[in-house]
Amino acid sequence: MLSERAKRIKPSPTLSIDAKAKAMKAEGVDIVSFGVGEPDFDTPENIKEAAIKAIKEGFTKYTPVGGIDPLKDAIIEKFKKDNNLNYKREEIIVSCGAKHSLYNIAQALFNPGDEVLIPSPYWVSYPDQVMLNDAIPVFVKTYGSDSFMVRPEVVESHITKKTKALILNSPSNPTGLIYDKKTLEKIAEVVLRYGVFVISDEIYEKLTYDGLKHVSIASLDNEIKAKTIVVNGLSKSFAMTGWRIGFAAGQREIIKAMTNIQSQSTSNPTSIAQKAAIEALTGPQDFITMMLAEFDRRRRLLISELNSIPGMSCLTPTGAFYAFPNTSKLYGKSIGDRTILSSSDLSLYLLEEAKVALVHGEAFGDDDYIRLSYATSINEVKKGVDRIREAVNRLS
Ligand code: PMP
Ligand code: GLU
């Protein structure tokens, strides 16, 4: 009955684990959730007020498909200020979340059989979005010893005549690491040589630590800018996951195709959420500073605690809100008749026995790791990590 396309994909594992953890909580189980990547802060009041005002003023009808001009202008200003990138309105599209922008890019760019390079570990939706559009994900493995940055020469060795695009994600979900400018320059050189597009997912750009700053590959020069589609959104920076506002910037022709696709599928992103987005981008920005300081506290605590658990080792993430410890030394250990052989076994064991929800690394393409989102209160971080330690210590 179902299309081959539908049969090819699976539900988002991060959203599935979140649903499972929430269902257990609703049943009264005391779960600590390191599962989903969603800020635990409330959306700032000024942003909510802007949406309420929009409702009261009757701004509740269809808008232009790719977003209203004042929002596009606010996004243009953001790119100028934060990334030193200049775009025109025709080069911007607003979608129902960054995930939707990414999906529209896949629809607009990929032909059947096109190959798309995805550095692994990767964010869960990239391969499935590629496959939903009849293209082929080609994984390029990265290693903790390289801070999980893809090596330019390894990118080059994976390029064929069919390679259409490379998906970059910095700061990265799930590794929490950031690409440095030098590596980006070398990657740009490679992709330009072969005419490969870059899809640059920069949704965590505001969440960086230790004085490091995000660099957009598109900002390196005009040549790479023309080959890059930058994706960003408000979900993470302004705790607006439910509002569904994301955006993309790139060549006019690509953005026009994405807008046509949007006009035949979802129409405009929600009118009132667009008004809220203008306030988020143009209003006070102190919320981000406050949220970041809190994430930083949790990051420091979580990483040092994880590294003190025998069998786990974790690089210090410099962006986003994820810890990605290597847990492969625990594989082969047992408790009773249960043996932990993989990241799935470990996360299921921790869910059932320690009542801690987290995501198996296999979902991100690397079974040697697990992912913990520290977008949860510092007390929950403490409680959760104590439970993990106790459960891991019981393995032998
Ligand atoms: N890209 C990455 C790397 C993400 O982690 C997420 C998380 N949801 C998204 C894109 C999509 O975000 P949203 O659709 O909520 O804007
Ligand atoms: N990106 C978040 C995560 O990785 C949200 C879940 C999703 O959109 O799949 O947990």
Side-chain angles (χ1 to χ4, degrees):
M1 173 178 82
L2 294 177
S3 68
E4 289 308 314
R5 187 180 309 115
K7 284 189 226 159
R8 238 176 269 154
I9 64 146
K10 57 184 180 316
S12 161
T14 45
L15 292 181
S16 306
I17 287 165
D18 187 47
K20 197 167 173 181
K22 281 181 180 150
M24 287 173 82
K25 246 185 200 159
E27 282 166 15
V29 184
D30 172 27
I31 289 279
V32 175
S33 186
F34 293 120
V36 77
E38 171 170 72
D40 54 316
F41 298 89
D42 196 7
T43 306
E45 217 46 46
N46 61 312
I47 299 176
K48 290 186 188 173
E49 285 302 330
I52 292 165
K53 184 160 174 272
I55 295 175
K56 292 214 166 127
E57 286 174 354
F59 193 73
T60 52
K61 304 287 166 62
Y62 291 134
T63 76
V65 168
I68 52 178
D69 281 345
L71 177 52
K72 285 193 176 183
D73 291 346
I75 292 168
I76 289 168
E77 272 311 302
K78 178 236 124 28
F79 276 119
K80 235 183 243 161
K81 186 166 57 90
D82 295 340
N83 313 106
N84 198 23
L85 279 166
N86 291 301
Y87 290 107
K88 302 196 176 72
R89 281 185 188 159
E90 318 83 82
E91 296 170 314
I92 303 283
I93 183 172
V94 186
S95 311
C96 310
K99 193 183 265 183
H100 185 216
S101 280
L102 287 162
Y103 189 78
N104 286 336
I105 294 170
Q107 287 250 299
L109 272 190
F110 305 155
N111 279 314
D114 279 351
E115 293 174 4
V116 180
L117 303 183
I118 304 177
S120 118
Y122 46 74
W123 178 50
V124 292
S125 291
Y126 300 144
D128 289 75
Q129 289 202 350
V130 167
M131 288 189 289
L132 266 174
N133 288 286
D134 304 323
I136 302 164
V138 174
F139 300 111
V140 187
K141 192 161 169 54
T142 69
Y143 299 91
S145 49
D146 288 330
S147 302
F148 292 111
M149 274 187 282
V150 73
R151 289 193 184 190
E153 66 275 16
V154 182
V155 171
E156 183 163 16
S157 71
H158 283 74
I159 293 178
T160 72
K161 285 201 167 65
K162 291 188 171 168
T163 309
K164 188 68 180 270
L166 163 72
I167 303 181
L168 277 187
N169 175 216
S170 178
S172 156
N173 176 3
T175 69
L177 289 154
I178 304 182
Y179 274 76
D180 63 76
K181 192 171 174 202
K182 266 215 175 87
T183 306
L184 290 175
E185 280 169 353
K186 288 189 192 141
I187 292 173
E189 219 177 278
V190 170
V191 293
L192 285 174
R193 206 173 321 131
Y194 294 91
V196 169
F197 285 94
V198 177
I199 299 166
S200 182
D201 180 348
E202 305 180 5
I203 191 144
Y204 295 99
E205 84 160 321
K206 302 273 185 194
L207 305 182
T208 62
Y209 312 100
D210 300 336
L212 292 178
K213 285 272 163 276
H214 159 79
V215 177
S216 173
I217 190 167
S219 69
L220 296 178
D221 63 40
N222 279 336
E223 222 187 329
I224 190 68
K225 178 178 173 234
K227 272 288 186 186
T228 303
I229 306 106
V230 179
V231 176
N232 208 322
L234 304 185
S235 286
K236 317 290 172 176
S237 320
F238 297 96
M240 289 177 72
T241 44
W243 298 74
R244 310 309 303 133
I245 295 288
F247 49 89
Q251 271 187 43
R252 175 197 306 236
E253 208 183 331
I254 298 172
I255 297 297
K256 188 169 173 213
M258 290 168 67
T259 310
N260 290 345
I261 290 160
Q262 209 159 279
S263 81
Q264 296 289 16
S265 50
T266 58
S267 304
N268 59 275
T270 311
S271 59
I272 54 179
Q274 289 189 63
K275 286 283 192 178
I278 297 173
E279 175 61 22
L281 290 169
T282 60
Q285 303 290 299
D286 45 342
F287 170 77
I288 300 175
T289 318
M290 178 281 292
M291 182 170 66
L292 198 57
E294 185 53 34
F295 281 151
D296 195 15
R297 261 183 0 119
R298 301 171 188 177
R299 175 184 73 119
R300 287 165 195 273
L301 175 76
L302 180 61
I303 305 307
S304 79
E305 291 291 322
L306 288 174
N307 277 320
S308 73
I309 297 176
M312 285 202 188
S313 65
C314 191
L315 291 173
T316 301
T318 46
F321 38 59
Y322 304 106
F324 198 58
N326 187 312
T327 48
S328 58
K329 287 203 175 120
L330 298 174
Y331 305 163
K333 292 190 182 262
S334 306
I335 177 164
D337 53 10
R338 177 176 210 155
T339 304
I340 308 294
L341 293 173
S342 63
S343 61
S344 299
D345 289 348
L346 182 62
S347 45
L348 194 62
Y349 168 65
L350 292 174
L351 183 64
E352 289 174 358
E353 297 302 321
K355 305 288 181 274
V356 172
L358 41 79
V359 187
H360 47 298
E362 191 210 343
F364 308 96
D366 203 324
D367 200 33
D368 284 349
Y369 294 83
I370 55 173
R371 189 195 78 174
L372 295 88
S373 157
Y374 50 87
T376 187
S377 76
I378 197 136
N379 287 338
E380 287 290 288
V381 170
K382 277 187 197 142
K383 185 161 117 185
V385 88
D386 284 346
R387 289 183 183 187
I388 294 173
R389 181 195 315 282
E390 198 268 328
V392 166
N393 282 342
R394 287 193 350 240
L395 298 171
S396 58

